[in-house]
Amino acid sequence: MLKHRTFNLGKISNSMYLYYSLCCIVLALILDRLPDYANYQSLYENEGGYLLLQGRDLGFVLMAKVFKEYITYDLFRISIFLTSAAGAIYFSKHLQIHLARRLSILTSIPLLLIILMKFAIQFREGLAILIWMIYLTTHEKKLERTKFIFFATASSFFHLAIIPYWAATFLITRKNLKNTTTNYLTIVIFSISAYVVCSRNFLTANAQDLFATGKGAVIPTPYQYLYWSIFIAFPFYAYINSKWITTTTTTTTTTTKTKTSTIGDKIYALAPISIFGSIGISVIFLLFLVFDPATILNKNTLSDIIRIQTHLLTLILLQINFNKYFYAPIFLLLFLMTDYTRTIIESFTI
C-alpha cells in the first residue's frame, strides 16, 4: 500500500484555507459581473425555467423553488460560494489522506482551476462534480450500494453531464471486473456521452446551456486545428506515460511480489476515469471532425465537447501533480490555464 507521512493525514496547508476564503470574498464582490449571471438569475427567479420544462437538473430547480421564497438571487449565489468552499475544504482534507506530498496552492493549481470554473461560473455542474469527488475520497474499498446510489442520484440531479462519471465509478469499484475490462468500458461510456452531445438527440446535449460561445458555425483556421489536436492527442500521451497513475500492492509469500495496477481504490479511481474517459471523448471528437465536421463545428456542440475534455484533462494534470514535481506537466498547465481564460473571456460576450 502507499505510505503516507503522518503530517499529511487530514491536514492541508494554511494557504489552501486562505485561498478558499479569498475566493468567496472576491466572487461576492464581482458577483454581478460573473459570466452567465443573467441566465442563472432568470432560472432562479423563474423557479427553474427551461430546466423545469425539460425535466432536467431537478436538484437546482428544487433549490430555486425553495430559496426564492426567502432570499434574493445574489444571496443565493453567495450561499453557493460558501457551500462550495466548505465542500472543497472537506474534499481537500480527505484527498490529503491519500497523498504522499503536501497539498498546497502550488501543487493543486489544477484543482483551483476546477474551483474557479465549476464553482464560481458553471456552478450547477460544479455542485455535481463536487459531490462526485467527495464520494471518491470517502468511500470504502468495496462498493457501498446505498451510499453510492445516494451520492450518484444527488449529484445527477444537479447536472446530467455527471452521469458518465458515475457509471465509470460503478464499474471501477466493482472488484470482480478486470482492469482491462473497466478501462475499455470507460472509453465506451464517455464515447457514447460525447456522441449524444454531438448528435443532440438527448437531454444531456445541453442544447440551451447559454454558457460557452453561443450558437452558429465555426470556421476553423489552422491555429484552431492545432489547438483541437492537443485536446485529442494528450489523453493518449498520458496513457502511454501512465506510470504515474499506478498504485503498488505488495504481497508477502516466500518471496515479495509487487503488482501495479491503474485501478486503485478511493482517489485513484480518478486516474482511469480521467484518462480513459478523455480517450473516449477524443475518439468521438476526431471522428466527427473528420467525417461530419458540420455537426462538430457548431459553436454549442464544440464548446460542450471541449468543456468536457478540459475538465478531464484538468483531472489528469491534478494527479500528475500529486505524484511528480510541479514543473513536470508545465506545458499542459499553461495550455489549460490559457483555455480557461479564453472560455471566461468569451463567455462575457454572450
Side-chain angles (χ1 to χ4, degrees):
M1 296 297 291
L2 289 174
K3 295 181 180 179
H4 307 293
R5 301 176 184 176
T6 55
F7 70 80
N8 280 336
L9 298 179
K11 296 181 180 179
I12 58 178
S13 65
N14 290 332
S15 59
M16 294 295 288
Y17 286 105
L18 178 61
Y19 173 81
Y20 294 138
S21 300
L22 288 176
C23 272
C24 287
I25 294 172
V26 172
L27 292 173
L29 291 175
I30 64 171
L31 180 61
D32 59 349
R33 291 187 290 276
L34 288 175
D36 224 20
Y37 174 88
N39 181 45
Y40 272 116
Q41 183 178 26
S42 175
L43 289 174
Y44 180 76
E45 293 178 350
N46 289 284
E47 299 182 350
Y50 67 80
L51 295 177
L52 179 60
L53 294 176
Q54 292 181 349
R56 52 171 289 199
D57 302 345
L58 297 180
F60 175 81
V61 173
L62 179 61
M63 289 175 63
K65 283 181 172 292
V66 171
F67 287 104
K68 180 178 177 291
E69 300 296 324
Y70 303 100
I71 60 176
T72 65
Y73 172 66
D74 284 354
L75 287 177
F76 172 73
R77 288 296 297 267
I78 292 174
S79 299
I80 293 294
F81 297 155
L82 294 174
T83 302
S84 298
I89 290 174
Y90 183 80
F91 163 75
S92 298
K93 292 180 71 173
H94 281 272
L95 176 64
Q96 184 65 79
I97 295 174
H98 306 293
L99 303 182
R101 63 185 301 183
R102 174 53 77 71
L103 184 64
S104 65
I105 287 182
L106 187 63
T107 58
S108 63
I109 287 179
L111 176 59
L112 305 186
L113 290 176
I114 293 174
I115 291 171
L116 173 63
M117 180 64 70
K118 300 302 182 182
F119 298 168
I121 301 171
Q122 302 164 346
F123 71 86
R124 280 188 299 121
E125 187 176 359
L127 290 172
I129 289 171
L130 181 61
I131 294 172
W132 173 68
M133 295 178 78
I134 288 175
Y135 175 82
L136 287 185
T137 54
T138 59
H139 80 84
E140 299 298 328
K141 292 182 179 180
K142 63 180 181 179
L143 179 68
E144 302 168 280
R145 292 187 179 181
T146 302
K147 185 176 182 180
F148 178 89
I149 292 172
F150 173 78
F151 274 78
T153 302
S155 179
S156 301
F157 271 171
F158 283 109
H159 207 287
L160 289 176
I162 199 67
I163 291 177
Y165 294 81
W166 284 109
T169 301
F170 176 78
L171 293 174
I172 291 167
T173 51
R174 287 176 63 87
K175 298 301 182 180
N176 58 327
L177 290 180
K178 294 183 179 180
N179 297 350
T180 303
T181 302
T182 57
N183 294 345
Y184 283 125
L185 287 176
T186 299
I187 293 174
V188 171
I189 288 169
F190 279 86
S191 295
I192 293 173
S193 174
Y195 178 80
V196 168
V197 171
C198 291
S199 62
R200 298 295 183 182
N201 289 328
F202 196 64
L203 293 176
T204 52
N206 292 329
Q208 297 190 45
D209 263 345
L210 298 181
F211 187 87
T213 54
K215 298 180 180 180
V218 175
I219 302 176
T221 64
Y223 165 78
Q224 286 174 305
Y225 280 115
L226 177 62
Y227 166 69
W228 298 331
S229 69
I230 298 175
F231 283 105
I232 294 172
F234 188 84
F236 295 95
Y237 171 81
Y239 171 69
I240 293 171
N241 297 274
S242 59
K243 291 182 179 180
W244 54 269
I245 67 170
T246 59
T247 57
T248 302
T249 304
T250 302
T251 304
T252 303
T253 54
T254 53
T255 60
T256 300
K257 297 181 180 180
T258 300
K259 179 182 179 182
T260 59
S261 170
T262 57
I263 307 296
D265 60 359
K266 297 187 177 180
I267 180 198
Y268 298 98
L270 281 172
I273 290 174
S274 57
I275 283 191
F276 297 107
S278 61
I279 287 176
I281 300 295
S282 292
V283 169
I284 298 300
F285 192 178
L286 181 60
L287 289 176
F288 269 94
L289 202 57
V290 173
F291 297 105
D292 190 5
T295 296
I296 196 70
L297 294 179
N298 172 277
K299 286 187 177 181
N300 270 332
T301 304
L302 184 62
S303 63
D304 278 350
I305 290 294
I306 290 179
R307 181 168 70 176
I308 297 169
Q309 191 71 321
T310 298
H311 180 244
L312 290 169
L313 293 184
T314 306
L315 291 178
I316 292 175
L317 181 61
L318 180 65
Q319 293 163 95
I320 294 175
N321 274 350
F322 290 162
N323 294 276
K324 288 193 175 185
Y325 292 108
F326 168 74
Y327 53 77
I330 189 66
F331 171 76
L332 180 61
L333 173 63
L334 293 175
F335 174 77
L336 289 176
M337 289 179 68
T338 301
D339 185 68
Y340 274 90
T341 302
R342 175 198 63 81
T343 304
I344 292 172
I345 292 174
E346 286 189 355
S347 67
F348 281 105
T349 65
I350 300 175

